[in-house]
Amino acid sequence: MMNRTSIHGQWSSRLTFILAATGSAVGLGNIWKFPYMVGENGGGAFVLIYLLCVAAIGIPIMIAEIMVGRRGRQNPMDSMRLLAEDDQRNPAWQWVGLIGVIAGVLILSYYSVIAGWALAYVFRAGSGQLAGADADSARALFTDLVSNPEALLAWHTVIMATVVLVTSRGVEGGLEKAAQWLMPALFALLLVMVGYGISAGAFEEAMVFLFQPDFSKIDGAAVLAAMGQAFFSMSLGMGAIMIYGSYLPQDASIPRSATMIAISDTGVALLAGLAIFPVVFLYNLEPGEGPGLIFMTLPIAFGQMTGGTIFATLFFLLLVVAALTSAVSLIEPSVAFLVERLGMTRVAATACSGIVIWFIGLGTVLSFNVAADWTLWGKTFFDLLDFTTANIMLPLGGVAIAIFAAWIVSAQASGDELSQDAEWVHRIWRILCRYVAPVAVLLVFLNLVGVFA
């Protein structure tokens, strides 16, 4: 068995790793993106396909990423190169790892801007600006924010500065402490919001919408969206889970950890739906509002409800907390890469990554105002980044990692890493990564480009 160690240290326990990796997975993807994706794609049928994608594709690929990360103990690019060399295979597989690092950088560049919206709304809600909001005033408030590039730039800068500060403190001093404090706070805030939905909202209607499938609403694009959402929500294909896996103690069970992370992540997504949709339906609002669901639809409900100012402030605080736990994991692969490849100090590497990501984020800042009319293939800079990363880079990168882990890495090597569990767990994982995940992703892509049309 390989006995490499990471120069960055390791998690103090399996529980800390699960908290940190769940924090990486739980973010805007669950609370901002999942509800509006459900709304746009017909409710329960989308949820069912999403859950199937998590079980059959997400968990096996998460196991693969953690396994590759722990066995390599380096940044995603070098971990994949080392494992290929261990089994005398082509080291060109390292480029899959680099693509994951790049995907994390690109995602964080726009993720930070959206997190900045949430932070702005914490202060807007707390100061009572949402009180008595109707459809027109809620839309005007949001339009006022996104049409102001200086304001968006300021909030984007605050988020990135926070991410750089936390990440620069290292695994135990920064990442661990963030996970230990922020994750329990996130769950508590979310449960308060769900409690409100049960007591005051149209909870039964929300349950039907979320869990009663209507397959007439499903087509190839919706299936691809569900799969892309599973990858986005679980932080797959972006280097984050692999780099967190490189800090995992050798005696921790990878399959059990991955399953716990997936259950927690999916639970948060469903709880977010149960917090949001009862309020949406109570006020006869539109669940398919799209990316503005959180920022234009919910404020109307908060403006009408008793104690709306408090609940609105709590909700947007929840969104910021969720965003930060993911953001620190998205920057970590590029930081590890710069430290290991260029010999930079951790502080310098974090600052360098942060500046590059901040700069790319300017494209998203301007996509909603000055450059809103600058489109490529009908998409703004933000739309293009979102579609390219979530629907192309993450699924293809994740499947490439699955193929690498199950076909290129020897069965003995993967068996060593998964030896804490029964042999049948290893066998089923190899079947899912060798056949099920690649075929499922390929079929969805073929359907999208019209091969089966």
Side-chain angles (χ1 to χ4, degrees):
M1 181 181 288
M2 294 288 162
N3 194 27
R4 298 184 176 106
T5 56
S6 170
I7 64 171
H8 308 284
Q10 68 176 32
W11 305 114
S12 58
S13 67
R14 174 173 166 261
L15 177 61
T16 305
F17 165 70
I18 290 172
L19 273 176
T22 301
S24 169
V26 170
L28 294 178
N30 303 70
I31 300 169
W32 166 65
K33 197 171 185 183
F34 180 77
Y36 87 71
M37 294 289 281
V38 172
E40 286 184 333
N41 291 284
F46 178 87
V47 172
L48 185 60
I49 293 168
Y50 170 78
L51 293 176
L52 288 172
C53 287
V54 168
I57 304 173
I59 292 175
I61 292 177
M62 180 172 277
I63 291 171
E65 287 210 28
I66 297 171
M67 186 270 286
V68 171
R70 185 167 75 177
R71 196 161 182 84
R73 297 288 188 191
Q74 295 196 32
N75 66 81
M77 185 179 185
D78 288 327
S79 283
M80 293 190 74
R81 176 182 56 79
L82 284 171
L83 266 63
E85 290 172 352
D86 287 345
D87 288 307
Q88 287 84 51
R89 308 304 285 266
N90 193 330
W93 280 96
Q94 66 185 312
W95 299 110
V96 173
L98 181 61
I99 289 168
V101 175
I102 293 169
V105 166
L106 294 177
I107 289 169
L108 183 52
S109 75
Y110 69 79
Y111 201 91
S112 172
V113 177
I114 308 299
W117 297 357
L119 186 58
Y121 266 72
V122 170
F123 291 95
R124 289 177 173 215
S127 62
Q129 291 185 48
L130 302 184
D134 57 19
D136 290 337
S137 63
R139 186 172 293 276
L141 197 66
F142 181 68
T143 303
D144 176 60
L145 174 65
V146 298
S147 63
N148 185 338
E150 290 87 359
L152 291 191
L153 180 61
W155 294 116
H156 168 51
T157 304
V158 171
I159 293 291
M160 281 309 305
T162 305
V163 170
V164 166
L165 182 65
V166 170
T167 311
S168 67
R169 297 177 65 84
V171 176
E172 293 186 16
L175 304 182
E176 269 202 12
K177 283 190 167 54
Q180 288 168 345
W181 285 97
L182 294 178
M183 287 311 297
L186 186 150
F187 279 106
L189 288 169
L190 193 53
L191 288 173
V192 168
M193 292 301 301
V194 173
Y196 181 85
I198 293 171
S199 63
F203 194 72
E204 189 175 330
E205 195 177 343
M207 289 287 286
V208 169
F209 180 72
L210 272 171
F211 299 114
Q212 187 169 302
D214 176 5
F215 290 104
S216 67
K217 304 281 179 68
I218 294 298
D219 56 16
V223 174
L224 180 70
M227 187 175 66
Q229 176 61 18
F231 276 82
F232 188 91
S233 179
M234 294 176 73
S235 289
L236 300 176
M238 56 183 81
I241 295 297
M242 195 183 293
I243 199 70
Y244 275 19
S246 73
Y247 309 146
L248 181 65
Q250 196 62 45
D251 59 354
S253 164
I254 293 175
R256 284 198 289 267
S257 298
T259 303
M260 283 297 299
I261 295 161
I263 290 171
S264 301
D265 176 65
T266 304
V268 168
L270 294 174
L271 283 174
L274 292 175
I276 290 165
F277 289 121
V279 176
V280 167
F281 290 127
L282 178 66
Y283 293 100
N284 297 311
L285 305 173
E286 177 52 58
E289 176 68 39
L293 176 68
I294 297 296
F295 298 99
M296 286 188 285
T297 304
L298 277 186
I300 303 169
F302 290 134
Q304 307 304 317
M305 68 172 65
T306 305
T309 296
I310 295 170
F311 281 108
T313 308
L314 283 176
F315 179 81
F316 288 110
L317 186 61
L318 162 70
L319 206 55
V320 173
V321 168
L324 287 174
T325 59
S326 290
V328 294
S329 75
L330 287 168
I331 198 175
E332 182 66 15
S334 61
V335 171
F337 178 86
L338 292 176
V339 170
E340 292 164 12
R341 276 291 178 112
L342 303 183
M344 296 173 73
T345 66
R346 186 173 183 88
V347 172
T350 310
C352 184
S353 290
I355 290 168
V356 169
I357 292 165
W358 176 88
F359 184 78
I360 299 170
L362 298 182
T364 295
V365 166
L366 299 176
S367 290
F368 294 94
N369 38 73
V370 177
D373 296 327
W374 299 357
T375 60
L376 187 63
W377 300 303
K379 296 181 184 296
T380 65
F381 183 85
F382 163 70
D383 292 332
L384 204 58
L385 267 189
D386 184 29
F387 181 84
T388 304
T389 52
N391 289 9
I392 298 174
M393 292 180 78
L394 301 191
L396 290 183
V399 164
I401 290 165
I403 292 169
F404 175 78
W407 287 98
I408 304 302
V409 175
S410 68
Q412 181 181 347
S414 59
D416 280 350
E417 292 300 324
L418 306 181
S419 60
Q420 292 92 343
D421 298 271
E423 176 56 29
W424 64 267
V425 173
H426 182 224
R427 283 201 297 269
I428 290 176
W429 168 77
R430 275 173 65 82
I431 290 169
L432 290 172
C433 276
R434 282 185 153 212
Y435 307 108
V436 176
V439 170
V441 174
L442 178 64
L443 287 176
V444 172
F445 269 97
L446 289 176
N447 188 72
L448 183 74
V449 297
V451 173
F452 302 129

